[in-house]
Amino acid sequence: MNTKGLRFKINTAILLASVIVALFAAAILFPFEKKRRDARLDRIQALLSAVYQQNKEELANEIFAGQTLALENTLKSMQQVKNLTHLAAYHIDGALLAATGKPFSLIILGTEQAALRHGFQFAKVNHNGQPFAEWATAIEVIGERVGYLRLYYDLSEMERDFLISNLFFFALLFSTLVVMGLFLHLMLSRSVIAPAAVLRDAIRKVSRGRLGEKVHLNSRDEIGEMAADFNIMSTRLHEQHLALTKAMEVQESHTAHLENLNTHLEEMVDQRTAELQHSYQQLELEIEERKRTDKEKKRLQERLMHSQKMEALGLLAGGVAHDLNNVLSGIVSYPDLLLLQLPDDSPLRKSIQTIQRSGKKAAAIVQDLL
């Protein structure tokens, strides 16, 4: 089983929808059935209470008087009520006095007696796998408690009715879901799965090279639109394939022509290459000659530049020396005049001598520069 197929997914969706509908129906049915069952039990309880009320005086007198045989006859007359199968009367101390058929219980325990002092008890019980409605009460006469009474109502018929109704409901629900599922399956198979399968097969044929394949679907839904778009795409692919094939044929013819041109071009290139090699050799000779000429020219230019630099340097040094000597003449000569006018113990004498020595050193540096 292809768990990824569209059919499986649709069937799974239908199954899940059916389960959800079934659960929703069961959620609605369960409270309804419970309410109907409770109403049926309420009617049974009212019936048993009415039966007791009709025979209450007789039961009380017979128990009080100890008339066991009459008590049994009264219980048998009460048993004429449909589905009231077991009846039992008990003494005030809880011991069994009389019963119809085999009693389910021979005594009434103290806890139950205490509970019955506050009113009757009604419950659903099972005896030997058979359902019963148990109704128990204390028997009183003139406000005095004389004994107890238990009535057992057979619920088999009610349970059977409920079972049949539930089975009928679930059978109807199951049939409805099966019919609905089959209808949905057939409808979706016809409108979705079958067209999708046709479209899938066409796509596979195109992918295998059968360009121009067309799908004939008359549906007007999305699948029909997809089929129309597929037909357009397949037609365009077929046309493009034909155009490409034709273009390849033209390209092959052009390629052959280009190969012939290439062969002729190679011959022309070889011839031109030989001519260029000869020209290149001549050009190399000319370049070598030009290099020697340029080298000699460069050497002469360097010598000329060196001479020019030396001439400029000489002019610069002469100008600087002349200017510095003009400046230094005052620094060297004027200290002598100052020293002649200063006494020997003058404090300025030493500073002026220092200035004079510095000027002479500067003059010596200028001479070295020249």
Side-chain angles (χ1 to χ4, degrees):
M1 179 181 294
N2 185 11
T3 58
K4 296 182 179 180
L6 184 61
R7 185 181 300 275
F8 175 81
K9 293 179 180 180
I10 290 178
N11 291 334
T12 302
I14 293 174
L15 179 61
L16 290 177
S18 300
V19 171
I20 293 173
V21 172
L23 292 176
F24 181 74
I28 295 176
L29 175 65
F30 178 75
F32 174 77
E33 285 294 319
K34 185 176 183 302
K35 185 177 180 180
R36 192 162 71 95
R37 183 188 295 268
D38 293 340
R40 186 75 176 272
L41 291 175
D42 290 340
R43 289 196 296 271
I44 293 173
Q45 176 184 333
L47 174 63
L48 297 179
S49 179
V51 170
Y52 165 69
Q53 293 296 333
Q54 291 175 0
N55 299 275
K56 176 180 178 181
E57 298 296 333
E58 295 179 7
L59 292 171
N61 293 331
E62 291 166 357
I63 292 174
F64 183 76
Q67 297 176 359
T68 305
L69 183 59
L71 182 59
E72 291 178 354
N73 292 331
T74 301
L75 293 177
K76 289 178 180 180
S77 65
M78 294 171 63
Q79 197 177 11
Q80 299 302 317
V81 177
K82 184 181 179 181
N83 293 330
L84 189 58
T85 57
H86 294 78
L87 299 90
Y90 298 86
H91 194 266
I92 189 65
D93 59 1
L96 180 65
L97 293 176
T100 60
K102 185 178 181 181
F104 292 156
S105 179
L106 299 178
I107 60 172
I108 293 182
L109 300 176
T111 54
E112 189 176 359
Q113 293 178 22
L116 291 175
R117 293 192 187 100
H118 302 288
F120 68 87
Q121 297 290 324
F122 182 79
K124 183 181 176 183
V125 295
N126 285 289
H127 288 287
N128 297 325
Q130 186 175 357
F132 290 93
E134 181 185 73
W135 190 88
T137 185
I139 302 174
E140 296 181 355
V141 60
I142 316 176
E144 182 179 355
R145 188 180 301 108
V146 297
Y148 303 95
L149 178 67
R150 273 181 176 164
L151 304 179
Y152 290 91
Y153 187 90
D154 190 0
L155 298 178
S156 300
E157 182 179 353
M158 184 187 74
E159 294 293 336
R160 185 167 54 255
D161 292 340
F162 281 121
L163 179 62
I164 292 173
S165 63
N166 289 335
L167 288 176
F168 175 76
F169 173 79
F170 283 110
L172 179 62
L173 177 63
F174 178 75
S175 302
T176 303
L177 292 178
V178 169
V179 172
M180 182 182 69
L182 290 176
F183 174 75
L184 290 175
H185 176 74
L186 293 176
M187 183 182 69
L188 292 174
S189 296
R190 183 176 180 181
S191 61
V192 177
I193 297 177
V198 173
L199 188 60
R200 177 201 60 194
D201 294 338
I203 292 174
R204 286 180 177 175
K205 290 178 182 179
V206 171
S207 65
R208 292 170 184 172
R210 292 182 57 179
L211 302 179
E213 185 71 21
K214 293 186 178 181
V215 178
H216 301 284
L217 294 177
N218 297 324
S219 59
R220 297 182 180 180
D221 53 7
E222 287 80 358
I223 295 181
E225 295 176 357
M226 290 174 60
D229 293 338
F230 171 79
N231 292 336
I232 295 173
M233 179 191 70
S234 180
T235 302
R236 288 180 178 176
L237 287 176
H238 182 62
E239 293 174 354
Q240 291 176 359
H241 177 71
L242 294 177
L244 181 61
T245 303
K246 185 176 181 180
M248 291 179 65
E249 293 176 353
V250 174
Q251 181 67 26
E252 289 178 355
S253 63
H254 289 171
T255 301
H257 180 65
L258 288 175
E259 288 179 354
N260 294 329
L261 291 178
N262 189 32
T263 302
H264 180 65
L265 182 62
E266 287 179 354
E267 295 176 354
M268 293 178 64
V269 168
D270 292 339
Q271 181 180 0
R272 184 59 179 167
T273 301
E275 295 175 356
L276 290 175
Q277 286 180 350
H278 179 70
S279 299
Y280 178 71
Q281 291 176 356
Q282 292 181 352
L283 183 62
E284 283 185 342
L285 294 176
E286 292 179 0
I287 291 173
E288 290 293 333
E289 183 64 24
R290 184 170 294 179
K291 284 183 177 180
R292 286 194 297 271
T293 303
D294 291 342
K295 186 176 181 181
E296 182 65 22
K297 181 178 179 181
K298 184 177 180 181
R299 186 177 66 80
L300 293 175
Q301 287 179 347
E302 289 178 352
R303 291 181 63 184
L304 176 61
M305 289 177 62
H306 180 70
S307 299
Q308 291 175 349
K309 287 180 181 180
M310 293 302 294
E311 182 181 0
L313 184 60
L315 293 174
L316 177 64
V320 171
H322 181 267
D323 292 338
L324 288 177
N325 284 330
N326 292 333
V327 174
L328 293 175
S329 61
I331 297 174
V332 173
S333 59
Y334 277 100
D336 289 334
L337 297 176
L338 294 174
L339 291 174
L340 292 175
Q341 297 176 6
L342 291 176
D344 294 336
D345 57 351
S346 175
L348 298 176
R349 192 177 185 83
K350 185 175 181 181
S351 298
I352 293 173
Q353 290 176 351
T354 301
I355 293 173
Q356 188 181 28
R357 283 195 300 273
S358 297
K360 291 180 179 181
K361 287 181 180 180
I365 292 173
V366 173
Q367 188 65 31
D368 293 337
L369 176 60
L370 291 175

